[in-house]
Amino acid sequence: MNTVAFYDTKPYDREYFERAPDVSQLHCQFHEFRLTAETVASVNGAQAVCVFVNDRLDSACLEQLHLAGVRLVALRCAGFNNVDLGAANALGLAVTRVPAYSPHAVAEHTVGLLLTLNRKIHRAYNRVREHNFSLSGLVGFDLHGKTIGVVGTGKIGRITAQIFRGFDAEVIAFDPFPSPDWAVRHGVTYTDFAAMLARSDILTLHLPLTPETHHLLNERTLAQLKPGAHVINTSRGKLIETGALIARLKSGALGGVALDVYEEEEGIFFEDHSDAVLQDDELNLLLSFPNVLITAHQAFLTREALGEIARVTVGNLLRADSGNFLDGTLLTSPRHNCE
Ligand code: NAI
């Protein structure tokens, strides 16, 4: 039987993993803390670890995992920027992910964030609960006719673009690997990044975090946005330079910002800090702005997505010995799977 150590787990992870098909063939150890080089001793004889977006699998952590006898790192998410794949490859460690558990979940949350921010539904909800039925300060704008820039037209970006087309918005897109047939079918126009910044009323990010895309939105690129533009990020926090974003918000250059991810979310998001003084001053500042809406990395959190994450991840954990992983899930070229 394969022993698997799960990290950064919450009750909902456990619930969906415990009902995944064939999970009874695995011995699962659920940990609430994150996996890092400092906590790696807790693998305790496991042959595989199952991790999430804020576990930190740098080379030091991976070397210790390898020494402890771990042969598979199973990411229960799509993004893999938190794993040093070069180091995993060199060690012959298999790394798998769940490439597409529900792109609809993330796309729908993206649209939900924009509607909430623009129509100020979160503020209206609080007002009405206090019997304040005034409408002052709640003026929004129609999405119909606006120009929406979608950066990254992979699985999530394409669905997001299609939903926005349903509002009769003009959707422009940028991706170094465009999907021209899809764009024609859905009335989406590809453009270059600079033109997208200049034209978009709303800019939404759907691309991976890599060394090239780190701080894609920075002082220079944010300054190229149309005055009053709205920015949505449901991809990865480090795509945006937070200090530059705050400066643009303070100057009034940006109309609004909706974030499901934050540059320094590690150690903050997914936890209840309501009894503590939050030490992150940039996050405190963002939370104080009336035109900023933040959710704590919950875009993926639907029943469908959790079920699919558990199904695919358990499928791969059961294949650890054979090395015959599910199609499209393997990120490395492991040498020692069959040991
Ligand atoms: P995908 O791999 O299907 O698509 C990513 C697209 O980005 C590709 O078409 C790629 O060519 C494009 N791209 C790469 N570099 C680019 C650049 N410099 N400029 C513009 N486009 C670029 O990925 P998918 O499934 O659509 O996911 C996108 C991102 O969403 C993931 O990388 C992940 O970080 C994030 N995500 C967030 C979740 C959440 O709960 N907030 C959940 C799942 C994913």
Side-chain angles (χ1 to χ4, degrees), residues 197-219:
L197 292 174
R199 286 179 54 198
S200 298
D201 296 299
I202 295 129
L203 190 79
T204 182
L205 304 183
H206 301 289
L207 68 164
L209 175 66
T210 63
E212 293 72 43
T213 63
H214 182 261
H215 286 178
L216 178 84
L217 293 187
N218 51 41
E219 194 182 345

Side-chain angles (χ1 to χ4, degrees), residues 78-79 81 97 99 101 106 151-157 174-177 206-209 213 216 234-236 260-261 297-300:
N81 51 281
R97 65 169 178 148
Y101 37 87
V106 183
V151 190
T153 52
K155 293 174 286 295
I156 297 169
F174 170 70
D175 194 308
F177 302 97
H206 301 289
L207 68 164
L209 175 66
T213 63
L216 178 84
T234 57
S235 281
R236 285 293 179 267
D260 185 53
V261 286
H297 208 138
Q298 73 173 77
F300 73 100

Side-chain angles (χ1 to χ4, degrees), residues 116-129:
T116 306
L117 177 70
N118 165 31
R119 304 305 302 270
K120 302 168 176 53
I121 295 169
H122 54 312
R123 302 179 71 190
Y125 172 81
N126 285 328
R127 265 189 204 187
V128 169
R129 281 171 65 88

Side-chain angles (χ1 to χ4, degrees), residues 267-268 272-284 287:
I268 301 177
D272 179 359
H273 296 280
S274 55
D275 281 336
V277 173
L278 202 56
Q279 298 298 319
D280 185 320
D281 290 343
E282 290 194 322
L283 182 56
N284 279 326
L287 288 168

